[in-house]
Amino acid sequence: MRILVVCGAGASSTFVAQRLRRAASAAGLDWDTAAGTEQTIPTAFADLVLVGPHLADRLDAIRAAARGPVAVLPDDVFSDRDGTRTLDVALKTLSDSPPTAKGTS
């Protein structure tokens, strides 16, 4: 599973992606997480895009660029020190999303 965490400049999303990777690993999930910006979405080939709350107004454009489901993270995501709340958002989004064929957008 490839997860892209997106913020404005890619800095704060790096911390969220690292915490999410640790929480996923602790839960027995083999997830590859990365941080990026809105501009990296079209080439990221992510199974899920998690968007920083400050980009919620860009959600339609982000969904159009993404190849899989997209979710906006809660306002307090940066205080999620162990990544478990972010993991919960990711798992819920994935479970609520219909499966897509690999290689399609």
Side-chain angles (χ1 to χ4, degrees), residues 9-68:
S12 57
S13 58
T14 298
F15 296 111
V16 174
Q18 289 172 343
R19 293 170 185 161
L20 174 58
R21 183 180 314 117
R22 283 193 301 267
S25 179
L29 301 169
D30 184 23
W31 284 9
D32 178 27
T33 63
T37 65
E38 187 176 346
Q39 290 73 30
T40 62
I41 295 170
T43 59
F45 298 103
D47 297 303
L48 172 63
V49 176
L50 299 176
V51 180
H54 53 288
L55 295 177
D57 63 333
R58 301 282 308 139
L59 193 56
D60 288 339
I62 290 169
R63 279 196 173 121
R67 299 172 190 267

Side-chain angles (χ1 to χ4, degrees), residues 59-98:
L59 193 56
D60 288 339
I62 290 169
R63 279 196 173 121
R67 299 172 190 267
V70 176
V72 176
L73 292 166
D75 289 334
D76 64 348
V77 67
F78 303 111
S79 66
D80 180 19
R81 299 290 179 209
D82 63 4
T84 55
R85 288 181 298 161
T86 306
L87 177 61
D88 288 344
V89 170
L91 290 170
K92 179 167 180 12
T93 302
L94 290 168
S95 71
D96 290 348
S97 299

